[in-house]
Amino acid sequence: MLIGYARVSTLDQTLALQQDALTAAGCADIYTDTVSGSVTDRPGLSQALSHLRLGDTLVVWRLDRLGRSLPHLIETVRQLQERGVGFRSLQEQIDTTTSGGKLVFHVFGALAEFERDLIRERTHAGLQAARARGRLFGRPKALSPRKIDQLRTLAKDERNTVTEICETLGISRATFYRYVKA
């Protein structure tokens, strides 16, 4: 069974073109969303995915109607394949129920993985360069060395309670205990 999914990003756009193409392709049911592709919660897509059974095929008008990004699209199609469900994109003429369609989709997947690796390498190189220039990363320390000495002095005096010390220094109990134990 062919199950269609159509999506437009705004209320100004119309689903008619996609719905007509999906109907012409032979889709028995068509599920729709009017929401940006970057939104993760798409009820129409969730319904379409829940109605797919072994041997069915999910059909979209274009690839960008299904996935937020190429990695997301590839992950979605991989999950479909694990369930024994095919995928078809009408405009790109990709059909994962055929060997040629699987090949094209795997090439897309390889390119997406290559892109992710390049981004990771550039990010790592940028972080190393920043560290070499003395840039510090992470959350700044809660207390300066002077305040740490003040905390320890106050903590040694048994007349001071933990609550009073925390209020005086403007820190939480967890921060107090972290510095006292250190």
Side-chain angles (χ1 to χ4, degrees):
M1 174 187 265
L2 300 179
I3 299 210
Y5 174 69
R7 180 186 61 78
V8 290
S9 300
T10 66
L11 294 172
D12 297 337
Q13 298 171 326
T14 177
L15 290 162
L17 171 71
Q18 294 178 54
Q19 289 173 319
D20 291 347
L22 293 170
T23 300
C27 292
D29 297 320
I30 299 173
Y31 298 90
T32 64
D33 280 319
T34 302
V35 65
S36 169
S38 63
V39 174
T40 55
D41 182 32
R42 293 186 270 169
L45 179 58
S46 296
Q47 283 182 310
L49 294 175
S50 70
H51 282 85
L52 290 165
R53 302 291 175 250
L54 183 67
D56 288 349
T57 300
L58 178 65
V59 183
V60 295
W61 181 62
R62 283 185 39 181
L63 286 173
D64 65 348
R65 302 295 87 195
L66 179 62
R68 298 186 309 266
S69 62
L70 188 56
H72 175 256
L73 179 67
I74 290 167
E75 178 60 21
T76 302
V77 173
R78 186 190 62 75
Q79 289 173 357
L80 291 173
Q81 287 178 337
E82 286 177 357
R83 294 173 47 195
V85 174
F87 172 74
R88 214 169 124 197
S89 173
L90 301 176
Q91 290 295 305
E92 289 84 5
Q93 298 179 353
I94 296 173
D95 185 350
T96 63
T97 62
T98 68
S99 56
K102 285 180 186 175
L103 172 66
V104 169
F105 204 79
H106 286 299
V107 169
F108 280 177
L111 290 173
E113 186 174 341
F114 176 68
E115 178 187 22
R116 283 192 305 271
D117 287 345
L118 286 178
I119 291 169
R120 188 178 315 114
E121 288 173 9
R122 285 192 302 257
T123 301
H124 185 69
L127 289 171
Q128 280 185 320
R131 283 188 191 104
R133 290 190 309 271
R135 172 81 163 86
L136 299 177
F137 294 96
R139 186 175 178 154
K141 299 288 182 193
L143 297 175
S144 65
R146 186 180 65 78
K147 282 211 173 191
I148 294 171
D149 291 339
Q150 188 179 5
L151 178 140
R152 291 189 176 136
T153 303
L154 290 169
K156 285 180 187 175
D157 187 348
E158 294 177 9
R159 292 175 291 170
N160 297 322
T161 67
V162 174
T163 304
E164 290 171 339
I165 295 170
C166 290
E167 287 175 3
T168 302
L169 297 176
I171 60 173
S172 69
R173 292 177 77 85
T175 301
F176 171 84
Y177 287 113
R178 187 177 321 114
Y179 281 99
V180 168
K181 288 180 183 179

